[in-house]
Amino acid sequence: MKAIQIKQPGGPEAMEFTDLPVPQPKPNEAVVKIAAAGVNFIDVYNREGRYKVPLPFVLGQEGAGVVSAVGTEAREIAVGDRVAYTNVLGSYAEYAAVPAERLVKIPAEVSESAAAATMLQGMTAHYLAHDTYPLKKSETALIHAAAGGVGLLLVQMAHNIGARVIATVSTEEKAKLAREAGADEIILYTHSDFEAETKRLTGGKGVDVVYDSVGKTTFEKGLNVIRPRGMMALFGGSSGAVPPFDPMLLTQKGSLYVTRPSLGHYVITREELQGRAAAVFGMIRSGKLKLRIEHVYPLADAAQAHRDLESRKTTGKLLLNTELSVAETNQW
Ligand code: NDP
């Protein structure tokens, strides 16, 4: 089978398009014939070696397709099932072996490309808005990189809850998308100071929560726009890692809460995984959540997908290797 393998960490050129044997399932695993694999920032970190992964490895942590083989102890999953998963390495390939307990069945009305676009970023947006800081109607959230993969989904979920959404983006094109997703206010944070603008938009009161995936360039100023006892949910570092800081800073800024959550800790049990996936699939089926699949690359062009993601050019979701038409998905 074809796969994208990393033998040595590095830039996009470290991604080798290669031939590997089709994996055989261990007793607790199922093998999935991948129809679509999601491209995510974590794949960049794994490729670069920022997160340590034993070498060599096949990239990718999100996929959807059809089960082609099951191990002797794999429960609840059968050959022919349409399934999706995340947080298991190896989806940049034609086939991947996945622990059966990490697979969720895709509802009939949801395409495989939509499912691949949902598992990591959709469930992330869901846990952020519903569990990390459970947003309420009439509260205000500041969402950075609002036209990104997680961003567009999080804006829609916050809007559907009834919260006021202040969104930051870098370009007018991204501003339009964030507005269509339900953002009430847009700040072009590459042109104006988001701290001053957020204070102005909230009449000096500050927001209840900041959802920050940008990190290095936004974190510190973000602490200045949160109301007393509000929360900073720092869930990524697209601009770089946040440097260490003194916890006394949180006292000075208003007894703030800071968390650095990760999806894995919000889908710990099979029950939680299935419940969260079902909630997001339900939003897609009811039309409350629209996916924006910006580009589908052939597997062989995975390196280009990484270059595009890192260059800050992309909006919404990037997929690899899908056999399905993007027109089939519920997007705008
Ligand atoms: P995005 O589609 O959001 O892409 C990143 C965006 O970040 C860019 O489009 C850009 O938006 C913004 N950005 C700001 N500064 C930079 C910079 N210097 N270089 C590149 N981009 C920059 O990616 P994802 O939705 O895939 O992921 C967003 C972040 O969330 C990542 O950091 C990822 O690791 C994290 N994440 C965390 C999870 C968790 O559970 N903790 C789960 C999923 C993702 P703009 O041009 O508008 O500024």
Side-chain angles (χ1 to χ4, degrees):
M1 68 167 187
K2 295 292 184 195
I4 301 287
Q5 195 181 41
I6 301 289
K7 290 187 184 141
Q8 281 305 321
E13 68 289 346
M15 297 162 71
E16 285 185 31
F17 184 55
T18 190
D19 280 300
L20 292 174
V22 173
Q24 297 301 307
K26 294 197 184 97
N28 65 335
E29 288 180 341
V31 172
V32 182
K33 183 175 191 315
I34 304 286
V39 177
N40 295 288
F41 242 94
I42 193 162
D43 306 335
V44 173
Y45 303 152
N46 287 335
R47 186 203 74 209
E48 288 174 336
R50 213 188 297 186
Y51 294 169
K52 301 283 172 240
V53 181
L55 298 164
F57 67 94
V58 174
L59 264 179
Q61 297 216 7
E62 185 180 38
V66 176
V67 173
S68 61
V70 288
T72 50
E73 291 165 22
R75 312 239 181 278
E76 296 181 43
I77 293 293
V79 170
D81 283 348
R82 297 168 69 243
V83 293
Y85 68 94
T86 188
N87 279 22
V88 179
L89 265 177
S91 66
Y92 285 17
E94 288 181 289
Y95 293 85
V98 182
E101 63 168 24
R102 301 318 287 172
L103 293 170
V104 297
K105 290 187 189 165
I106 306 171
E109 304 88 337
V110 177
S111 70
E112 284 152 33
S113 47
T118 300
M119 293 302 288
L120 200 153
Q121 294 171 337
M123 291 202 295
T124 296
H126 186 271
Y127 83 69
L128 288 169
H130 293 273
D131 294 289
T132 302
Y133 184 91
L135 257 181
K136 293 198 254 338
K137 210 176 156 78
S138 81
E139 287 189 327
T140 302
L142 175 64
I143 300 177
H144 287 304
V150 178
L152 280 178
L153 301 171
L154 185 54
V155 169
Q156 292 178 76
M157 288 185 200
H159 172 78
N160 291 342
I161 288 167
R164 180 185 186 209
V165 176
I166 302 175
T168 65
V169 291
S170 64
T171 65
E172 288 291 353
E173 185 214 349
K174 291 184 176 187
K176 183 168 177 286
L177 289 170
R179 206 169 275 119
E180 284 169 13
D184 299 282
E185 316 283 353
I186 306 283
I187 302 171
L188 285 168
Y189 61 172
T190 39
H191 296 79
S192 55
D193 177 7
F194 81 82
E195 179 184 340
E197 274 298 287
T198 305
K199 283 181 178 163
R200 183 183 68 77
L201 289 166
T202 58
K205 187 171 157 271
V207 300
D208 298 281
V209 57
V210 175
Y211 295 112
D212 186 353
S213 66
V214 174
K216 190 174 176 184
T217 58
T218 47
F219 178 79
E220 207 171 327
K221 279 184 167 208
L223 296 178
N224 296 333
V225 304
I226 303 174
R227 64 150 168 90
R229 306 202 306 266
M231 183 182 283
M232 164 65 77
L234 173 70
F235 68 98
S238 301
S239 69
V242 171
F245 65 92
D246 181 349
M248 270 309 283
L249 192 64
L250 304 177
T251 315
Q252 290 154 8
K253 306 282 181 190
S255 300
L256 303 182
Y257 295 86
V258 173
T259 180
R260 177 59 178 87
S262 178
L263 174 60
H265 300 130
Y266 287 84
V267 288
I268 293 175
T269 63
R270 175 146 184 79
E271 199 180 23
E272 194 174 24
L273 170 68
Q274 286 187 309
R276 202 174 294 287
V280 182
F281 285 142
M283 291 175 186
I284 294 171
R285 287 158 74 184
S286 69
K288 284 192 181 142
L289 187 70
K290 300 257 192 292
L291 302 172
R292 178 180 164 81
I293 297 173
E294 190 195 71
H295 201 91
V296 183
Y297 302 76
L299 183 61
D301 292 347
Q304 188 57 43
H306 277 216
R307 285 189 193 97
D308 291 346
L309 184 65
E310 289 178 87
S311 72
R312 211 171 168 170
K313 281 196 305 214
T314 63
T315 59
K317 187 71 193 178
L318 308 181
L319 291 179
L320 297 178
N321 191 33
T322 180
E323 295 151 4
L324 304 170
S325 153
V326 175
E328 286 175 54
T329 63
N330 183 14
Q331 61 164 346
W332 82 86

